Amino acid sequence: MDRKVRECLNGEHGSYILPFLWLHGEPKERLYKEILAIKNSGIKEFCAESRPYDNFCKDEWWDDFGFILKTARELDMRVWLLDDQKFPTGYANGYLEKEENACLRKRLIREIQIDVVGPMKNAKAFVGGRIDKDEKIIKIIAYKHNSSDEALDYKTAIDLTDKLNDGFVYFDIPKGAWRVSVTVETSYENKNERLYYYIDMLNPDSCHAMIDAIYAPHYEHFKEYFGNTFAGFFSDEPGFLNVAYTYYNSLGQIGSRYPWREDLPKMIAQSAGIDEKAIWLALPSLWENLGDISSLVRMHYMEVVTRLYSENFSYMLGNWCREHNVMYIGHVIEDMGAHTRLGYGSGHYFRALDGQDMAGIDIVLMQDIPGISNSIHRAPLADGGEADPAFFRYTLPKLASSHAHIQPLKKGRAMCEVFGAFGWAEGLPFMKGLADIMLASGINYFVPHAFSPKDEDTDCPPHFYNGGKNIQYPLFKNLMEYMGRTSHILSEGKHKADVAVFYNAEGEWTGGENQLFYNLCRTLTQGLIDFDIIPYDTLENAQVKNGRLQVNGEEYGALIVSESEIMPVSRLKCFARLANEGLDVIFTDSLPQKCAEKFDISRLLPCFEAVPTSKIVLELRNRNLCHVSGDGEGVDFLRFYHVTRENKDIYLFSNEGVFSDIDANITLKQTGKCLIYDPWDNKCYYTEAENGKLHLYLEKGNMIFVIFGTEIPNGTPKMTYETEREELPIRFEIAIKEEGEEKFEVIAENSECFDISAPNQYPRFSGEIRYRAKFMAKEGFDVLDLGQVGEIAEVWLNDKYLGARINSPYKFNMVEAIKNGENELEIVVKSNLAHKRSDWFSSYMQIPPSGILGEISLCKYQ
C-alpha cells in the first residue's frame, strides 16, 4: 500500500494546516482557550496574526507572544508570525515614520504635461507651478504631436532639462503642436495615507527595515524557540504600493506615480541593451505613447523593478530566515491579474515569491464561489468588485502549485490562505467546496482564516471557534483532518502534467494587444489537460529531451503562449531554442507581430504555431499530449491531479459540480486493479481499470484518490455503487436549540421536514435542529440518504453513531447499526450562522435553508 495512504489510515498524516490566530491583547486564559480550540481541531500549528495588536513589538507583545510560544511548546504545536503591525506587510512596524529614517521612504516619479503650439521663439512654460517643495524636476522633454490621438513622436524629442530656471523652462517652440513632458521625482501622493510610510521595494536599505524593526527583535527575544516551536514568518500582501485601491496599475496610465530610484535609467538601458541617453529621452513613455520605444522602455522597466523586488525583499527576508533556522512564507495580492502589475501588485508573481519557502496565494472575499465556473460574479473587491473564475479558480491556485513544482526551494509546498472574509454565511459545506477546488489544483498547505479570541469579532468572519459559540466548530475538526489527509497524499510526489503554460507577464508589460492567459488555463482545465505555469526565468535554463520540456524533474509535452502582439526578443529567442530542440511551441490565436526591441523576428516565427484557444484542447489531444480523458455524464465537472511516488501512480479525482453526479468512463495510461482511497471517510476500496478504462462514479461535491501500482491489502472491500433507492416515508418529532441555549424545545410532532428558517417559521434561527423518528428496515437497503440538508448533519441509529456529513451527499451507512424490524433514528442538523448574525460580508452570498429538506431515501449498493 502507498506509504502515505497507510499513514493516513493510521491517523499519522503530517501537518499542513496553520490557521491565523488574531491577537488583540486578550487575557492569557482567553488566549490559552483559543489555542486549545485550535489543537482540538486536529491542527498542530498556527500563525499569530499581529496586525490587530496595538502594542506590537512593545513590552505587552513580548510578554504575550512569549506566553503563546511557551503554550505551543507545552501542547507540542508550532507557531508562525504574520510579520507586521499593519496590513499589508511593508509598514515595518512604523520604522519609516521616524524622521531619522525618512531617507528610506519610497521615491516615485510622476509626470506633468504642458501642451504648446509653435512656431514661437523665446517661449517659456511655468513648469514649477505644479511642483511641491519636497519634489524635484529630473527631466523635461518636448515631443511633437503627429496625430489626433495621444501618440507623440519620439524621434522629435528635445531635451529641455538644462533650460529650466526658477520654475520656468525657456525654449523656441518649433512649428506644430508639441507636448512638454516634465518628469518629477516625488513621494507617495498623500502623506496622511498610511501607505506613505511603507518600505521601498527598490531600496535594499529600506527593505532591511523589516529585519531591523521586526525579524531581528523577535530573534533576540525568542531565539531559543527558532527552528523548533517557532516555525517562521508570514508576509501578507506586500507590494510596490505606489498607488492604492486598485489592481490595475499598469504602465501607460496618465497621472500615475511609479516606483523610482536614481540609477533606474542605467539599469533599464543595460537590460534593454541600448544607450542610457536613449532611455532618458524616452522616460516619459512610462505614461505617454511614444511609439515602438514605449514597449521597450515599459518592458525593461518592469523587468528591472521586479528583479529588484525579488532581490531586495523576497530573497533578503527569506535568506535571513533560513540563516536563523526558520522559514519564510506568505503571498502577494494576485487579484484579477494584479500579480503582473504595480500598485497593490508585486509586478511578477514568481519573482515576488522566489525567496520564500512555500509558494503562496489567498482566496478570500468571495473570490471563488463553488458552482460558478464560467461567469463573472460580484464580490467585495476593489475596482468594481468583479471576480472572474477564469482567474480565481483556474489560474490562481495553479500559480502556487506550479511554483512549488518548478523551484527547488519550495520542495513541493503550495500554500493557500483560505476561508477569510466570506462572512458567517460561509459554513462548513462552502469551506469544503473551496478546499476541494484548491486541492484539485495541487495546493497542499492551508492557512484558514481565522481563530479569534475576541468576543464576537466582526473583523473578517467567519471565526471558527468564536469563544465556543460557533455551533459548527465541533465538526470543523472533520474538515481539517480531511484537508490534512488529502494534503498528505499530494505531498512528496512528482506532479505529472501534460503541457506548460507561459507566465505571460511580458505580454502585458509591452503594452501591445494581448490575451491574459487566464482563459487558456480555464480551457485546459475543463478539457482535462493538466499544466504548470512557467515563467521565462525558468524557461531560460530549461532543456528539451525527447520532445519534452524538462524543469526540476517535471516534464511537459508542449509550451503554450497566450496571444501577444509584442514580445521581448529574449523570450522569442528562448521559445525558438526550445522549439529547435524538439518542443512544440504553440501561441493561442495568432503569432507575435513584433518584438519590444529593434529586431527582425521573421526568422523566429516559423519555429512556432498558432492555434485558436477554442481548438487548443482538440489539437493537444490529436498530438497525443494528454494522458487523461473522460466520457459520460457530468464529465464537464471532473477535475484531476496526478502525482507519482515510489513507482505508484496516484490520481486525485474531484467532482467540481454542486448539483450533478459524475458517471463516466475515464481513459488512463494505467490498467488493472487499483486502490481507491476516500479521504473524507478515511477508508480504502478497490476496483479495476480494464484496458485503461476506469468507471468513475463520483457524487456531487466528492473527491477520491485512485492509486495504481500498489498492493491491495487482504480484506479491502470492492468499490460499490448505488443501484436502487426508495423514498422513506417518515415523520419526525422536531426540536430546536438556539445557539447558546442548553436544551432542545420541541416545535413539531409527527411532522414532515420543512425549512426551519422560512419566513413563517424561525427566519433568524441559528442553532441545532434535532429529528427523532422510527422506521422499518427494508432488506438490502442499508444506506440512508437525507437529501438536501441545511447545513451539516450527524446521525445516530439505535443509539449508534453513524458519523457526520458537512456536504452532499448526506449519506450514512447503516450496516453496523440497522436491525430487522423497527429502528430508532436521531439526526442533529446544525444550521448556517448568518441567519442570526447577518453580517456585511454575508450580504454577498446566498444563505442556505435550515434543517432537512429531503427527500429522505433508503439506498441499495452493489
Side-chain angles (χ1 to χ4, degrees), residues 544 547 557-561 569-588 590-592 599-611 623:
V544 177
L559 175 65
I560 318 296
V561 186
V569 65
S570 58
R571 278 51 169 178
L572 292 175
K573 286 182 176 179
C574 175
F575 300 158
R577 175 184 67 81
L578 296 173
N580 289 330
E581 291 178 4
L583 181 69
D584 289 349
V585 178
I586 302 171
F587 280 81
T588 60
S590 68
L591 297 178
F599 184 87
D600 181 7
I601 66 171
S602 60
R603 64 182 177 87
L604 300 177
L605 294 182
C607 299
F608 317 134
E609 302 172 68
V611 175
R623 299 186 189 204

mmCIF file of all heavy atoms in Angstrom, residues 544 547 557-561 569-588 590-592 599-611 623:
data_model
loop_
_atom_site.group_PDB
_atom_site.id
_atom_site.type_symbol
_atom_site.label_atom_id
_atom_site.label_comp_id
_atom_site.label_asym_id
_atom_site.label_seq_id
_atom_site.Cartn_x
_atom_site.Cartn_y
_atom_site.Cartn_z
ATOM 1 N N VAL A 544 15.227 20.503 -23.400
ATOM 2 C CA VAL A 544 14.244 19.629 -24.030
ATOM 3 C C VAL A 544 14.895 18.270 -24.259
ATOM 4 O O VAL A 544 16.017 18.181 -24.759
ATOM 5 C CB VAL A 544 13.754 20.205 -25.367
ATOM 6 C CG1 VAL A 544 12.781 19.247 -26.051
ATOM 7 C CG2 VAL A 544 13.096 21.563 -25.152
ATOM 8 N N GLY A 547 11.652 15.542 -26.998
ATOM 9 C CA GLY A 547 10.491 16.353 -27.337
ATOM 10 C C GLY A 547 9.717 16.883 -26.154
ATOM 11 O O GLY A 547 8.633 17.454 -26.337
ATOM 12 N N GLY A 557 4.831 18.295 -22.533
ATOM 13 C CA GLY A 557 4.856 17.937 -23.939
ATOM 14 C C GLY A 557 4.781 19.103 -24.892
ATOM 15 O O GLY A 557 5.009 18.935 -26.095
ATOM 16 N N ALA A 558 4.444 20.283 -24.395
ATOM 17 C CA ALA A 558 4.366 21.467 -25.256
ATOM 18 C C ALA A 558 4.411 22.707 -24.373
ATOM 19 O O ALA A 558 4.134 22.638 -23.163
ATOM 20 C CB ALA A 558 3.089 21.455 -26.104
ATOM 21 N N LEU A 559 4.745 23.825 -24.988
ATOM 22 C CA LEU A 559 4.688 25.129 -24.319
ATOM 23 C C LEU A 559 3.615 25.949 -25.018
ATOM 24 O O LEU A 559 3.677 26.166 -26.235
ATOM 25 C CB LEU A 559 6.030 25.849 -24.404
ATOM 26 C CG LEU A 559 6.069 27.283 -23.846
ATOM 27 C CD1 LEU A 559 5.830 27.291 -22.339
ATOM 28 C CD2 LEU A 559 7.403 27.958 -24.173
ATOM 29 N N ILE A 560 2.619 26.417 -24.244
ATOM 30 C CA ILE A 560 1.526 27.199 -24.800
ATOM 31 C C ILE A 560 1.699 28.647 -24.343
ATOM 32 O O ILE A 560 1.827 28.913 -23.144
ATOM 33 C CB ILE A 560 0.142 26.677 -24.348
ATOM 34 C CG1 ILE A 560 0.103 25.146 -24.382
ATOM 35 C CG2 ILE A 560 -0.956 27.293 -25.197
ATOM 36 C CD1 ILE A 560 0.254 24.553 -25.744
ATOM 37 N N VAL A 561 1.693 29.580 -25.299
ATOM 38 C CA VAL A 561 1.891 31.004 -25.015
ATOM 39 C C VAL A 561 0.639 31.757 -25.437
ATOM 40 O O VAL A 561 0.189 31.630 -26.586
ATOM 41 C CB VAL A 561 3.121 31.558 -25.766
ATOM 42 C CG1 VAL A 561 3.395 32.997 -25.343
ATOM 43 C CG2 VAL A 561 4.344 30.684 -25.533
ATOM 44 N N VAL A 569 12.499 40.251 -27.319
ATOM 45 C CA VAL A 569 13.286 39.388 -28.181
ATOM 46 C C VAL A 569 13.898 38.233 -27.394
ATOM 47 O O VAL A 569 14.041 37.119 -27.918
ATOM 48 C CB VAL A 569 14.364 40.198 -28.929
ATOM 49 C CG1 VAL A 569 15.395 40.780 -27.968
ATOM 50 C CG2 VAL A 569 15.048 39.332 -29.977
ATOM 51 N N SER A 570 14.271 38.483 -26.138
ATOM 52 C CA SER A 570 14.873 37.406 -25.341
ATOM 53 C C SER A 570 13.901 36.251 -25.165
ATOM 54 O O SER A 570 14.296 35.073 -25.192
ATOM 55 C CB SER A 570 15.296 37.931 -23.977
ATOM 56 O OG SER A 570 14.187 38.488 -23.277
ATOM 57 N N ARG A 571 12.614 36.557 -25.014
ATOM 58 C CA ARG A 571 11.621 35.497 -24.842
ATOM 59 C C ARG A 571 11.430 34.728 -26.146
ATOM 60 O O ARG A 571 11.371 33.488 -26.153
ATOM 61 C CB ARG A 571 10.285 36.080 -24.393
ATOM 62 C CG ARG A 571 10.135 36.363 -22.913
ATOM 63 C CD ARG A 571 11.239 37.170 -22.305
ATOM 64 N NE ARG A 571 10.923 37.620 -20.954
ATOM 65 C CZ ARG A 571 11.768 38.312 -20.193
ATOM 66 N NH1 ARG A 571 12.980 38.620 -20.645
ATOM 67 N NH2 ARG A 571 11.418 38.692 -18.978
ATOM 68 N N LEU A 572 11.337 35.461 -27.245
ATOM 69 C CA LEU A 572 11.142 34.792 -28.533
ATOM 70 C C LEU A 572 12.339 33.917 -28.885
ATOM 71 O O LEU A 572 12.171 32.806 -29.416
ATOM 72 C CB LEU A 572 10.896 35.839 -29.616
ATOM 73 C CG LEU A 572 9.562 36.606 -29.523
ATOM 74 C CD1 LEU A 572 9.495 37.694 -30.564
ATOM 75 C CD2 LEU A 572 8.383 35.648 -29.667
ATOM 76 N N LYS A 573 13.539 34.383 -28.591
ATOM 77 C CA LYS A 573 14.721 33.561 -28.858
ATOM 78 C C LYS A 573 14.722 32.310 -27.976
ATOM 79 O O LYS A 573 15.116 31.219 -28.424
ATOM 80 C CB LYS A 573 15.990 34.378 -28.622
ATOM 81 C CG LYS A 573 16.272 35.413 -29.703
ATOM 82 C CD LYS A 573 17.582 36.155 -29.426
ATOM 83 C CE LYS A 573 17.916 37.112 -30.553
ATOM 84 N NZ LYS A 573 19.188 37.853 -30.285
ATOM 85 N N CYS A 574 14.286 32.462 -26.735
ATOM 86 C CA CYS A 574 14.187 31.302 -25.838
ATOM 87 C C CYS A 574 13.184 30.295 -26.378
ATOM 88 O O CYS A 574 13.465 29.086 -26.437
ATOM 89 C CB CYS A 574 13.791 31.771 -24.440
ATOM 90 S SG CYS A 574 13.488 30.438 -23.269
ATOM 91 N N PHE A 575 11.998 30.774 -26.791
ATOM 92 C CA PHE A 575 10.991 29.869 -27.349
ATOM 93 C C PHE A 575 11.535 29.165 -28.590
ATOM 94 O O PHE A 575 11.302 27.963 -28.796
ATOM 95 C CB PHE A 575 9.725 30.641 -27.719
ATOM 96 C CG PHE A 575 9.056 31.357 -26.584
ATOM 97 C CD1 PHE A 575 8.196 32.425 -26.832
ATOM 98 C CD2 PHE A 575 9.275 30.986 -25.268
ATOM 99 C CE1 PHE A 575 7.571 33.090 -25.791
ATOM 100 C CE2 PHE A 575 8.649 31.658 -24.221
ATOM 101 C CZ PHE A 575 7.799 32.718 -24.487
ATOM 102 N N ALA A 576 12.249 29.925 -29.432
ATOM 103 C CA ALA A 576 12.784 29.346 -30.664
ATOM 104 C C ALA A 576 13.824 28.270 -30.346
ATOM 105 O O ALA A 576 13.857 27.221 -31.002
ATOM 106 C CB ALA A 576 13.391 30.436 -31.536
ATOM 107 N N ARG A 577 14.664 28.512 -29.364
ATOM 108 C CA ARG A 577 15.643 27.487 -28.973
ATOM 109 C C ARG A 577 14.950 26.214 -28.528
ATOM 110 O O ARG A 577 15.328 25.095 -28.925
ATOM 111 C CB ARG A 577 16.531 28.024 -27.845
ATOM 112 C CG ARG A 577 17.500 26.971 -27.304
ATOM 113 C CD ARG A 577 18.306 27.481 -26.132
ATOM 114 N NE ARG A 577 17.508 27.748 -24.946
ATOM 115 C CZ ARG A 577 17.100 26.821 -24.074
ATOM 116 N NH1 ARG A 577 17.404 25.544 -24.278
ATOM 117 N NH2 ARG A 577 16.385 27.156 -23.028
ATOM 118 N N LEU A 578 13.929 26.361 -27.690
ATOM 119 C CA LEU A 578 13.196 25.180 -27.219
ATOM 120 C C LEU A 578 12.529 24.453 -28.378
ATOM 121 O O LEU A 578 12.523 23.214 -28.430
ATOM 122 C CB LEU A 578 12.154 25.607 -26.181
ATOM 123 C CG LEU A 578 12.702 26.216 -24.885
ATOM 124 C CD1 LEU A 578 11.560 26.750 -24.029
ATOM 125 C CD2 LEU A 578 13.521 25.211 -24.102
ATOM 126 N N ALA A 579 11.984 25.220 -29.327
ATOM 127 C CA ALA A 579 11.344 24.604 -30.492
ATOM 128 C C ALA A 579 12.369 23.864 -31.337
ATOM 129 O O ALA A 579 12.108 22.740 -31.815
ATOM 130 C CB ALA A 579 10.628 25.668 -31.314
ATOM 131 N N ASN A 580 13.527 24.460 -31.520
ATOM 132 C CA ASN A 580 14.568 23.806 -32.318
ATOM 133 C C ASN A 580 15.112 22.557 -31.636
ATOM 134 O O ASN A 580 15.668 21.669 -32.306
ATOM 135 C CB ASN A 580 15.703 24.789 -32.598
ATOM 136 C CG ASN A 580 15.297 25.872 -33.581
ATOM 137 O OD1 ASN A 580 14.453 25.655 -34.452
ATOM 138 N ND2 ASN A 580 15.879 27.063 -33.446
ATOM 139 N N GLU A 581 14.950 22.480 -30.313
ATOM 140 C CA GLU A 581 15.367 21.276 -29.590
ATOM 141 C C GLU A 581 14.290 20.200 -29.599
ATOM 142 O O GLU A 581 14.478 19.125 -29.030
ATOM 143 C CB GLU A 581 15.740 21.639 -28.144
ATOM 144 C CG GLU A 581 17.020 22.468 -28.035
ATOM 145 C CD GLU A 581 17.339 22.866 -26.602
ATOM 146 O OE1 GLU A 581 16.599 22.436 -25.683
ATOM 147 O OE2 GLU A 581 18.320 23.609 -26.396
ATOM 148 N N GLY A 582 13.140 20.509 -30.221
ATOM 149 C CA GLY A 582 12.116 19.487 -30.396
ATOM 150 C C GLY A 582 10.819 19.696 -29.664
ATOM 151 O O GLY A 582 9.931 18.833 -29.711
ATOM 152 N N LEU A 583 10.655 20.836 -28.969
ATOM 153 C CA LEU A 583 9.428 21.090 -28.213
ATOM 154 C C LEU A 583 8.395 21.801 -29.083
ATOM 155 O O LEU A 583 8.732 22.730 -29.829
ATOM 156 C CB LEU A 583 9.748 21.964 -26.991
ATOM 157 C CG LEU A 583 8.566 22.301 -26.073
ATOM 158 C CD1 LEU A 583 8.091 21.053 -25.335
ATOM 159 C CD2 LEU A 583 8.947 23.391 -25.074
ATOM 160 N N ASP A 584 7.142 21.378 -28.989
ATOM 161 C CA ASP A 584 6.060 22.108 -29.651
ATOM 162 C C ASP A 584 5.816 23.417 -28.900
ATOM 163 O O ASP A 584 5.519 23.398 -27.697
ATOM 164 C CB ASP A 584 4.771 21.282 -29.650
ATOM 165 C CG ASP A 584 4.832 20.083 -30.577
ATOM 166 O OD1 ASP A 584 5.784 20.001 -31.382
ATOM 167 O OD2 ASP A 584 3.933 19.226 -30.491
ATOM 168 N N VAL A 585 5.950 24.545 -29.597
ATOM 169 C CA VAL A 585 5.677 25.866 -29.026
ATOM 170 C C VAL A 585 4.488 26.444 -29.770
ATOM 171 O O VAL A 585 4.554 26.694 -30.976
ATOM 172 C CB VAL A 585 6.889 26.806 -29.128
ATOM 173 C CG1 VAL A 585 6.550 28.183 -28.567
ATOM 174 C CG2 VAL A 585 8.090 26.209 -28.382
ATOM 175 N N ILE A 586 3.389 26.623 -29.048
ATOM 176 C CA ILE A 586 2.116 27.000 -29.661
ATOM 177 C C ILE A 586 1.642 28.319 -29.063
ATOM 178 O O ILE A 586 1.527 28.456 -27.842
ATOM 179 C CB ILE A 586 1.052 25.911 -29.424
ATOM 180 C CG1 ILE A 586 1.540 24.572 -29.987
ATOM 181 C CG2 ILE A 586 -0.279 26.315 -30.041
ATOM 182 C CD1 ILE A 586 0.653 23.396 -29.601
ATOM 183 N N PHE A 587 1.359 29.296 -29.922
ATOM 184 C CA PHE A 587 0.707 30.525 -29.497
ATOM 185 C C PHE A 587 -0.794 30.377 -29.702
ATOM 186 O O PHE A 587 -1.241 29.741 -30.672
ATOM 187 C CB PHE A 587 1.212 31.720 -30.313
ATOM 188 C CG PHE A 587 2.542 32.261 -29.855
ATOM 189 C CD1 PHE A 587 3.720 31.654 -30.245
ATOM 190 C CD2 PHE A 587 2.602 33.382 -29.035
ATOM 191 C CE1 PHE A 587 4.944 32.137 -29.823
ATOM 192 C CE2 PHE A 587 3.815 33.876 -28.606
ATOM 193 C CZ PHE A 587 4.994 33.261 -29.000
ATOM 194 N N THR A 588 -1.573 30.939 -28.801
ATOM 195 C CA THR A 588 -3.023 30.906 -28.992
ATOM 196 C C THR A 588 -3.434 32.008 -29.964
ATOM 197 O O THR A 588 -3.000 33.153 -29.838
ATOM 198 C CB THR A 588 -3.774 31.088 -27.664
ATOM 199 O OG1 THR A 588 -3.434 32.347 -27.091
ATOM 200 C CG2 THR A 588 -3.419 29.985 -26.686
ATOM 201 N N SER A 590 -2.900 33.802 -32.533
ATOM 202 C CA SER A 590 -2.041 34.413 -33.550
ATOM 203 C C SER A 590 -0.620 34.517 -33.024
ATOM 204 O O SER A 590 -0.387 34.505 -31.810
ATOM 205 C CB SER A 590 -2.554 35.804 -33.941
ATOM 206 O OG SER A 590 -2.421 36.718 -32.861
ATOM 207 N N LEU A 591 0.320 34.628 -33.968
ATOM 208 C CA LEU A 591 1.729 34.780 -33.606
ATOM 209 C C LEU A 591 2.036 36.242 -33.307
ATOM 210 O O LEU A 591 1.314 37.146 -33.737
ATOM 211 C CB LEU A 591 2.615 34.289 -34.749
ATOM 212 C CG LEU A 591 2.514 32.810 -35.125
ATOM 213 C CD1 LEU A 591 3.428 32.494 -36.299
ATOM 214 C CD2 LEU A 591 2.856 31.918 -33.942
ATOM 215 N N PRO A 592 3.118 36.506 -32.572
ATOM 216 C CA PRO A 592 3.512 37.906 -32.325
ATOM 217 C C PRO A 592 3.783 38.630 -33.641
ATOM 218 O O PRO A 592 4.203 38.033 -34.641
ATOM 219 C CB PRO A 592 4.786 37.763 -31.490
ATOM 220 C CG PRO A 592 4.727 36.401 -30.914
ATOM 221 C CD PRO A 592 4.006 35.544 -31.909
ATOM 222 N N PHE A 599 14.479 44.356 -33.601
ATOM 223 C CA PHE A 599 14.983 43.052 -34.043
ATOM 224 C C PHE A 599 13.962 42.452 -34.999
ATOM 225 O O PHE A 599 12.753 42.488 -34.745
ATOM 226 C CB PHE A 599 15.198 42.140 -32.834
ATOM 227 C CG PHE A 599 15.810 40.808 -33.173
ATOM 228 C CD1 PHE A 599 17.186 40.673 -33.237
ATOM 229 C CD2 PHE A 599 15.016 39.706 -33.451
ATOM 230 C CE1 PHE A 599 17.769 39.444 -33.561
ATOM 231 C CE2 PHE A 599 15.587 38.476 -33.766
ATOM 232 C CZ PHE A 599 16.971 38.358 -33.819
ATOM 233 N N ASP A 600 14.461 41.923 -36.101
ATOM 234 C CA ASP A 600 13.598 41.288 -37.092
ATOM 235 C C ASP A 600 13.238 39.880 -36.604
ATOM 236 O O ASP A 600 14.099 39.000 -36.531
ATOM 237 C CB ASP A 600 14.326 41.224 -38.437
ATOM 238 C CG ASP A 600 13.460 40.598 -39.525
ATOM 239 O OD1 ASP A 600 12.261 40.341 -39.275
ATOM 240 O OD2 ASP A 600 14.000 40.345 -40.627
ATOM 241 N N ILE A 601 11.963 39.677 -36.286
ATOM 242 C CA ILE A 601 11.549 38.385 -35.724
ATOM 243 C C ILE A 601 11.071 37.409 -36.793
ATOM 244 O O ILE A 601 10.655 36.289 -36.468
ATOM 245 C CB ILE A 601 10.436 38.561 -34.668
ATOM 246 C CG1 ILE A 601 9.139 39.076 -35.309
ATOM 247 C CG2 ILE A 601 10.897 39.483 -33.555
ATOM 248 C CD1 ILE A 601 7.960 39.063 -34.348
ATOM 249 N N SER A 602 11.131 37.814 -38.056
ATOM 250 C CA SER A 602 10.567 36.971 -39.113
ATOM 251 C C SER A 602 11.243 35.608 -39.181
ATOM 252 O O SER A 602 10.600 34.602 -39.529
ATOM 253 C CB SER A 602 10.669 37.676 -40.468
ATOM 254 O OG SER A 602 12.025 37.960 -40.784
ATOM 255 N N ARG A 603 12.542 35.539 -38.832
ATOM 256 C CA ARG A 603 13.227 34.242 -38.893
ATOM 257 C C ARG A 603 12.907 33.360 -37.691
ATOM 258 O O ARG A 603 13.205 32.163 -37.701
ATOM 259 C CB ARG A 603 14.734 34.457 -39.009
ATOM 260 C CG ARG A 603 15.381 35.126 -37.818
ATOM 261 C CD ARG A 603 16.869 35.332 -38.077
ATOM 262 N NE ARG A 603 17.532 36.029 -36.979
ATOM 263 C CZ ARG A 603 18.034 35.417 -35.913
ATOM 264 N NH1 ARG A 603 17.904 34.104 -35.775
ATOM 265 N NH2 ARG A 603 18.641 36.120 -34.972
ATOM 266 N N LEU A 604 12.307 33.940 -36.648
ATOM 267 C CA LEU A 604 11.945 33.153 -35.474
ATOM 268 C C LEU A 604 10.533 32.579 -35.582
ATOM 269 O O LEU A 604 10.253 31.492 -35.055
ATOM 270 C CB LEU A 604 12.035 34.024 -34.210
ATOM 271 C CG LEU A 604 13.396 34.622 -33.878
ATOM 272 C CD1 LEU A 604 13.293 35.509 -32.631
ATOM 273 C CD2 LEU A 604 14.435 33.523 -33.666
ATOM 274 N N LEU A 605 9.648 33.298 -36.250
ATOM 275 C CA LEU A 605 8.237 32.912 -36.269
ATOM 276 C C LEU A 605 7.983 31.529 -36.854
ATOM 277 O O LEU A 605 7.062 30.827 -36.394
ATOM 278 C CB LEU A 605 7.416 33.965 -37.018
ATOM 279 C CG LEU A 605 7.352 35.350 -36.353
ATOM 280 C CD1 LEU A 605 6.471 36.285 -37.174
ATOM 281 C CD2 LEU A 605 6.845 35.250 -34.925
ATOM 282 N N PRO A 606 8.738 31.065 -37.855
ATOM 283 C CA PRO A 606 8.475 29.710 -38.362
ATOM 284 C C PRO A 606 8.689 28.598 -37.333
ATOM 285 O O PRO A 606 8.247 27.462 -37.557
ATOM 286 C CB PRO A 606 9.490 29.577 -39.516
ATOM 287 C CG PRO A 606 9.732 30.977 -39.961
ATOM 288 C CD PRO A 606 9.699 31.800 -38.711
ATOM 289 N N CYS A 607 9.321 28.921 -36.201
ATOM 290 C CA CYS A 607 9.506 27.911 -35.148
ATOM 291 C C CYS A 607 8.217 27.629 -34.380
ATOM 292 O O CYS A 607 8.133 26.628 -33.661
ATOM 293 C CB CYS A 607 10.576 28.387 -34.158
ATOM 294 S SG CYS A 607 12.202 28.659 -34.888
ATOM 295 N N PHE A 608 7.230 28.513 -34.521
ATOM 296 C CA PHE A 608 6.037 28.441 -33.690
ATOM 297 C C PHE A 608 4.805 28.134 -34.539
ATOM 298 O O PHE A 608 4.817 28.235 -35.762
ATOM 299 C CB PHE A 608 5.807 29.772 -32.952
ATOM 300 C CG PHE A 608 7.051 30.372 -32.382
ATOM 301 C CD1 PHE A 608 7.342 31.731 -32.554
ATOM 302 C CD2 PHE A 608 7.959 29.604 -31.663
ATOM 303 C CE1 PHE A 608 8.492 32.294 -32.038
ATOM 304 C CE2 PHE A 608 9.120 30.158 -31.137
ATOM 305 C CZ PHE A 608 9.388 31.508 -31.329
ATOM 306 N N GLU A 609 3.733 27.794 -33.846
ATOM 307 C CA GLU A 609 2.440 27.596 -34.485
ATOM 308 C C GLU A 609 1.396 28.436 -33.752
ATOM 309 O O GLU A 609 1.564 28.770 -32.583
ATOM 310 C CB GLU A 609 2.023 26.130 -34.425
ATOM 311 C CG GLU A 609 3.000 25.163 -35.070
ATOM 312 C CD GLU A 609 2.617 23.727 -34.794
ATOM 313 O OE1 GLU A 609 1.568 23.280 -35.305
ATOM 314 O OE2 GLU A 609 3.345 23.053 -34.046
ATOM 315 N N ALA A 610 0.324 28.748 -34.434
ATOM 316 C CA ALA A 610 -0.801 29.445 -33.820
ATOM 317 C C ALA A 610 -2.037 28.549 -33.906
ATOM 318 O O ALA A 610 -2.354 28.023 -34.970
ATOM 319 C CB ALA A 610 -1.062 30.773 -34.516
ATOM 320 N N VAL A 611 -2.697 28.369 -32.774
ATOM 321 C CA VAL A 611 -3.900 27.540 -32.697
ATOM 322 C C VAL A 611 -4.967 28.333 -31.942
ATOM 323 O O VAL A 611 -4.676 28.891 -30.878
ATOM 324 C CB VAL A 611 -3.624 26.209 -31.965
ATOM 325 C CG1 VAL A 611 -4.911 25.412 -31.781
ATOM 326 C CG2 VAL A 611 -2.588 25.384 -32.729
ATOM 327 N N ARG A 623 -2.347 15.469 -30.910
ATOM 328 C CA ARG A 623 -0.893 15.267 -30.856
ATOM 329 C C ARG A 623 -0.500 14.253 -29.781
ATOM 330 O O ARG A 623 0.687 14.072 -29.507
ATOM 331 C CB ARG A 623 -0.189 16.600 -30.590
ATOM 332 C CG ARG A 623 -0.425 17.648 -31.665
ATOM 333 C CD ARG A 623 0.392 18.894 -31.431
ATOM 334 N NE ARG A 623 -0.005 19.949 -32.351
ATOM 335 C CZ ARG A 623 0.770 20.972 -32.720
ATOM 336 N NH1 ARG A 623 2.003 21.055 -32.228
ATOM 337 N NH2 ARG A 623 0.319 21.895 -33.541
#
